[in-house]
């Protein structure tokens, strides 16, 4: 079993692997592999876990992976996987649901960072400079949110209890 593109080395600590560790040797790959190296590394893997869309699985790759039976992606969609090719090679493809609102949380963080000039000020400090902007306060500002899918819907953390 191979886990691909675990750049931060967190995959083995982020899930309960006990159900598969007795059956498979788990190979967590921390670097990105180019197509030839990828095919060589996965040649004997029956199960592959692909981190998001970091590694492409085109038809040519499935041709080179005769042992592959299950391809798991960390998400419910993965445009980097050629699904008809997977099916033609008898490879089952499935996804894992995410655990939270990370896209929304990162978006809010980026909005604050942009408004308060975090990147500019960090670059200035690292270059030996000093603060050269004054980030405006956010109190009293209004944020409009347009929901395009489930991210725009209400969640328990977005409801403010009335006083």
């Amino acid at each position: 079993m191979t886990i691909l593109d675990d750049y931060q080395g967190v995959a083995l600590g982020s899930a309960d692997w006990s159900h598969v560790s007795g059956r498979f040797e788990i190979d967590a790959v921390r670097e990105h592999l180019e197509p030839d190296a990828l095919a060589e590394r996965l040649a004997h893997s029956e199960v592959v876990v692909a981190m998001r869309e970091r590694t492409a699985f085109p038809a040519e790759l499935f041709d080179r992976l005769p042992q592959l039976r299950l391809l798991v992606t960390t998400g419910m969609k993965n445009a980097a996987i050629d699904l008809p090719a997977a099916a033609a090679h008898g490879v089952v493809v499935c996804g894992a649901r995410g655990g939270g609102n990370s896209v929304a949380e990162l978006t809010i963080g980026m909005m604050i960072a942009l408004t308060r000039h975090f990147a500019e000020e960090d670059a200035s400090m690292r270059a030996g400079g000093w603060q050269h902007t004054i980030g405006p306060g956010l109190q009293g500002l209004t944020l409009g949110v347009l929901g395009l899918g489930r991210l725009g819907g209400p969640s328990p953390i977005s409801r403010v209890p009335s006083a």
Side-chain angles (χ1 to χ4, degrees), residues 4-52:
L4 293 175
D5 301 314
D6 182 20
Y7 304 147
Q8 293 101 348
V10 298
L12 295 177
S14 297
D16 178 3
W17 298 96
S18 62
H19 297 287
V20 294
S21 62
R23 182 168 177 206
F24 298 102
E25 179 181 326
I26 301 175
D27 176 21
V29 181
R30 296 203 52 187
E31 69 278 359
H32 180 74
L33 300 173
E34 295 303 321
D36 286 337
L38 178 65
E40 185 177 322
R41 185 82 173 254
L42 299 181
H44 301 290
S45 291
E46 293 180 53
V47 178
V48 171
V49 178
M51 297 289 184
R52 301 184 170 198

Side-chain angles (χ1 to χ4, degrees), residues 40-132:
E40 185 177 322
R41 185 82 173 254
L42 299 181
H44 301 290
S45 291
E46 293 180 53
V47 178
V48 171
V49 178
M51 297 289 184
R52 301 184 170 198
E53 296 174 341
R54 294 177 180 167
T55 297
F57 279 83
E60 310 81 65
L61 182 57
F62 287 105
D63 292 338
R64 299 175 67 184
L65 303 176
Q67 302 297 316
L68 186 59
R69 295 290 167 252
L70 175 63
L71 178 56
V72 181
T73 180
T74 56
M76 294 306 287
K77 297 177 183 175
N78 191 324
I81 299 172
D82 185 331
L83 294 175
H89 286 83
V91 177
V92 174
V93 178
C94 65
R97 293 196 189 277
N101 293 311
S102 58
V103 172
E105 292 167 1
L106 289 171
T107 301
I108 295 295
M110 286 189 278
M111 289 188 311
I112 293 170
L114 284 169
T115 302
R116 299 299 305 247
H117 308 286
F118 287 1
E120 294 169 54
E121 298 302 340
D122 179 65
S124 176
M125 295 291 287
R126 290 176 188 269
W130 195 246
Q131 180 179 6
H132 65 307

